[in-house]
């Protein structure tokens, strides 16, 4: 090695010398010193994320929680930003739904630190806090649903229930002049506020204990609120039929006004109030 160094260029000699010094220091350093050398630098602002992992293509692997460090100095402010950063830089196999990043599509609904919400609307460090807390952020799929992979729940049953309420305008006479709109007064239009904004993220339904126990029969707060949206629409001519369809011991009356739905809604809507309004309408108009 010494003979090779004598014939090498000065830059090569410096490189080889630095390498030998680094190797000698690594051999003589204590375990604590080696650990400190790999620790995050003081300038880094590291936050840890514990994420639920499950891959059905690996039957022998049970679901588990994986921990990922993220430097918040090079990450956006939302949990969705951290998930995208982890997927891009650490684990390309991490699977989750996302689309609009603006709280409009409802795709990134998941359970974050024990609460159902949208990852694109959930801050890593809540406003008002100077620095991220030391406690890691725990992320799991929406509770009590079958998991397709990682953070992706199976929404088939939820969408089938939504389809069952016929979420479209129904009139008794077929419209022939499509140049004329279905007109509505401002007062009637205002009755739909607080319901039409629902993005069907299923955060409220999967936070409802009654839906956990009776998901096959109870429609859940999200679908019931959408049903009431059409019941209240003055342009729809099948109000009584819609109420008749919901007058069922399981479809509607599994609701016990626990109100988890209204508490967890990321759009700050009130599904619990809509469900109670359906019960009152049935009592007033059908019984």
């Amino acid at each position: 090695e010494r003979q090779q160094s004598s014939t090498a260029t000065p830059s090569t000699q410096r490189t080889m010398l630095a390498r030998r010094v680094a190797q000698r220091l690594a051999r003589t350093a204590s375990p604590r010193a080696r650990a400190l050398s790999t620790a995050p630098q003081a300038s880094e602002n590291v936050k840890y994320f514990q994420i639920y992992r499950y891959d059905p293509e690996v039957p022998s692997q049970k679901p588990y929680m994986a921990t990922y460090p993220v430097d918040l100095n090079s990450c956006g402010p939302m949990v969705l930003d951290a998930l995208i950063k982890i997927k891009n830089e650490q684990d390309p196999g991490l699977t989750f739904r996302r689309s609009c990043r603006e709280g409009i599509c409802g795709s990134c609904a998941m359970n974050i630190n024990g609460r159902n919400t949208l990852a694109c609307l959930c801050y890593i460090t809540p406003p008002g806090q100077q620095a991220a807390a030391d406690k890691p952020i725990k992320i799991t799929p929406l509770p009590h649903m079958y998991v397709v992979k990682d953070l992706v729940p199976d929404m088939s049953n939820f969408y089938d229930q939504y389809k069952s309420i016929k979420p479209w305008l129904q009139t008794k006479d077929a419209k022939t002049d499509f140049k004329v709109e279905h007109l509505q007064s401002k007062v009637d239009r205002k009755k739909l506020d607080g319901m039409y904004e629902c993005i069907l993220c299923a955060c409220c339904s999967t936070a409802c204990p009654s839906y956990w126990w009776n998901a096959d029969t109870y429609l859940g707060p999200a679908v019931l609120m959408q049903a009431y949206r059409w019941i209240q629409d003055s342009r729809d001519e099948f109000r009584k039929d819609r109420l008749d369809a919901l007058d069922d011991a399981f479809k509607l009356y599994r609701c016990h006004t626990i109100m988890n739905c209204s508490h967890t809604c990321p759009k700050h809507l009130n599904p619990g109030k809509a469900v109670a309004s359906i019960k009152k309408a049935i009592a007033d108009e059908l019984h």
Side-chain angles (χ1 to χ4, degrees):
E1 184 177 349
R2 291 176 181 172
Q3 186 176 4
Q4 292 178 355
S5 299
S6 62
T7 59
T9 62
S11 61
T12 304
Q13 291 178 0
R14 288 193 297 270
T15 301
M16 295 175 65
L17 179 60
R19 184 179 302 146
R20 288 199 295 271
V21 172
Q23 291 173 348
R24 184 173 300 174
L25 289 174
R27 287 194 298 268
T28 59
S30 65
R32 176 176 172 79
R34 288 196 294 268
L36 291 175
S37 67
T38 58
Q41 300 299 318
S43 60
E44 293 182 343
N45 181 18
V46 175
K47 181 74 174 179
Y48 290 92
F49 292 79
Q50 294 180 345
I51 303 177
Y52 178 95
R53 303 302 309 274
Y54 165 68
D55 189 350
E57 296 182 359
V58 186
S60 60
Q61 178 67 66
K62 295 182 179 180
Y64 64 97
M65 300 297 292
T67 302
Y68 303 90
V70 174
D71 182 6
L72 300 187
N73 291 336
S74 59
C75 179
M78 302 300 181
V79 171
L80 182 60
D81 296 316
L83 289 173
I84 293 174
K85 184 177 178 65
I86 292 170
K87 184 177 179 67
N88 289 342
E89 300 177 4
Q90 299 184 47
D91 192 345
L94 179 62
T95 305
F96 54 91
R97 291 190 180 108
R98 54 102 174 179
S99 183
C100 72
R101 298 168 61 99
E102 297 291 341
I104 299 299
C105 69
S107 299
C108 63
M110 56 190 70
N111 187 282
I112 302 175
N113 283 340
R115 179 170 180 169
N116 294 350
T117 187
L118 301 177
C120 64
L121 297 184
C122 183
Y123 283 96
I124 298 173
T125 303
Q129 287 189 11
Q130 297 299 323
D134 294 334
K135 188 176 181 180
I137 291 179
K138 185 177 181 180
I139 307 175
T140 59
L142 291 176
H144 295 269
M145 299 186 81
Y146 292 106
V147 177
V148 178
K149 185 180 180 183
D150 294 343
L151 301 176
V152 178
D154 185 354
M155 304 283 283
S156 301
N157 180 61
F158 180 79
Y159 290 136
D160 287 342
Q161 290 175 323
Y162 179 59
K163 181 181 178 181
S164 72
I165 66 166
K166 300 180 180 179
W168 55 81
L169 187 68
Q170 298 184 81
T171 57
K172 295 180 179 178
D173 299 323
K175 191 175 180 66
T176 57
D177 187 359
F178 294 102
K179 294 182 179 180
V180 179
E181 299 176 348
H182 290 279
L183 301 180
Q184 188 175 43
S185 69
K186 292 182 179 180
V187 174
D188 288 336
R189 166 61 186 79
K190 193 170 180 60
K191 294 178 182 179
L192 306 182
D193 288 348
M195 295 185 288
Y196 80 90
E197 300 96 330
C198 174
I199 56 176
L200 295 172
C201 64
C203 282
C204 63
S205 291
T206 53
C208 174
S210 295
Y211 192 75
W212 300 344
W213 305 325
N214 305 282
D216 57 335
T217 51
Y218 175 49
L219 293 181
V223 172
L224 288 173
M225 184 167 71
Q226 286 304 298
Y228 190 60
R229 175 254 179 274
W230 292 104
I231 290 170
Q232 283 293 88
D233 197 321
S234 61
R235 300 164 296 180
D236 190 274
E237 298 175 350
F238 282 77
R239 177 183 173 92
K240 184 178 182 301
D241 297 74
R242 293 183 184 275
L243 291 174
D244 278 331
L246 295 177
D247 189 11
D248 180 87
F250 281 92
K251 286 183 180 180
L252 173 65
Y253 292 101
R254 291 300 94 186
C255 171
H256 300 299
T257 59
I258 299 170
M259 301 303 289
N260 279 6
C261 53
S262 300
H263 177 70
T264 197
C265 177
K267 301 293 285 185
H268 307 292
L269 306 180
N270 194 348
K273 180 181 177 181
V275 176
S277 299
I278 295 176
K279 294 177 181 177
K280 186 177 185 303
I282 290 175
D284 292 343
E285 301 177 29
L286 300 186
H287 299 300

